Amino acid sequence: MLYGSMNQLVSFIEWFLEYYLPPMIANASPVLVNGRHRIDLGYMFIDGRPLLGAGKTWEGLVVGLYMGFLASIPLYIYFDNVYILLNGSIASLTALIGDMIGSFIKRRIGLKRGDPAPILDQLDFALMATLYYYYVAPGFQQRPYYILYSLLIILLLHILTNNIAYYIGVKDRRW
Ligand code: CTP
Ligand code: MG
């Protein structure tokens, strides 16, 4: 009984890391580089507000992508599946695009760079990565509860890590 639940827990954790570690690493890395070159090139949208804002930079995008790729390497070795390198990298890119979509939405509703948008801030990247896996990764969509648990864990982890980043000084806001 206990052995069975342990096995289930381990298989969930393996599944979670296989799919979500690269996008999580990709999403968390850009904050470390202090990028200067805005992805939106400073352009304004038709509403007169920044397209994405100063919090989305090319440096952040490149570093996020690279770190997501690096995070896929131990997974590729552990699961002995070369497709994880490809999937992890694409999911990382998808996650970073999701984060940009989140910023686009925030600017449209008038929120400034770094203003909190609960749920959107924590899940924008994960939802886009999920969408990618859902339509591309064979077998992924057969685990709806795993997907749900994963998003919940990411939500909690995100809140926890942002607080830590704030207290050690790498982020100037708690969200
Ligand atoms: N970052 C970056 N490039 C990216 C994503 C993030 O340079 N593509 C950096 C920025 O310094 C950003 C920080 O990581 O401030 C934290 O990211 P995030 O919380 O997503 O950005 P916010 O500053 O909160 O901006 P927004 O309100 O647009 O979400
Ligand atoms: Mg933010």
Side-chain angles (χ1 to χ4, degrees), residues 56 106 114-115 121 162 171 175:
K56 301 294 111 108
K106 285 173 74 175
D115 280 354
D121 278 337
N162 271 8
K171 217 159 182 262
W175 40 81

Side-chain angles (χ1 to χ4, degrees), residues 13-22 75 79 81 84 88 133:
I13 293 172
E14 283 180 343
W15 188 95
F16 175 73
L17 293 177
E18 175 181 352
Y19 289 108
Y20 287 103
L21 186 71
L75 297 170
F79 291 104
N81 176 0
I84 290 180
Y133 285 134

Side-chain angles (χ1 to χ4, degrees), residues 16-174:
F16 175 73
L17 293 177
E18 175 181 352
Y19 289 108
Y20 287 103
L21 186 71
M24 285 197 301
I25 297 284
N27 181 65
S29 304
V31 72
L32 304 172
V33 290
N34 207 1
R36 294 266 174 261
H37 299 87
R38 292 168 58 152
I39 291 172
D40 69 7
L41 306 173
Y43 279 106
M44 301 289 156
F45 196 58
I46 43 170
D47 55 11
R49 299 190 181 114
L51 197 61
L52 302 175
K56 301 294 111 108
T57 68
W58 291 106
E59 292 90 334
L61 187 66
V62 169
V63 164
L65 203 54
Y66 182 60
M67 294 300 284
F69 168 72
L70 287 187
S72 309
I73 294 175
L75 297 170
Y76 146 62
I77 295 167
Y78 180 79
F79 291 104
D80 195 20
N81 176 0
V82 73
Y83 284 106
I84 290 180
L85 281 182
L86 186 67
N87 252 343
S89 303
I90 299 176
S92 297
L93 178 63
T94 318
L96 289 156
I97 292 172
D99 180 49
M100 285 158 55
I101 295 173
S103 294
F104 179 80
I105 295 171
K106 285 173 74 175
R107 299 303 87 81
R108 301 293 71 74
I109 56 178
L111 292 174
K112 300 247 165 12
R113 176 234 179 132
D115 280 354
I119 309 295
L120 185 65
D121 278 337
Q122 290 81 26
L123 288 185
D124 47 14
F125 78 94
L127 286 173
M128 279 304 283
T130 300
L131 219 58
Y132 164 69
Y133 285 134
Y134 199 88
Y135 288 106
V136 174
F140 179 83
Q141 76 280 30
Q142 288 159 17
R143 300 266 188 195
Y145 282 105
Y146 276 18
I147 299 174
L148 220 62
Y149 296 149
S150 298
L151 294 177
L152 208 64
I153 288 171
I154 290 169
L155 186 66
L156 298 174
L157 269 181
H158 200 275
I159 295 168
L160 186 76
T161 51
N162 271 8
N163 273 279
I164 292 171
Y166 171 75
Y167 285 113
I168 63 171
V170 293
K171 217 159 182 262
D172 52 5
R173 288 163 202 258
R174 274 189 34 227

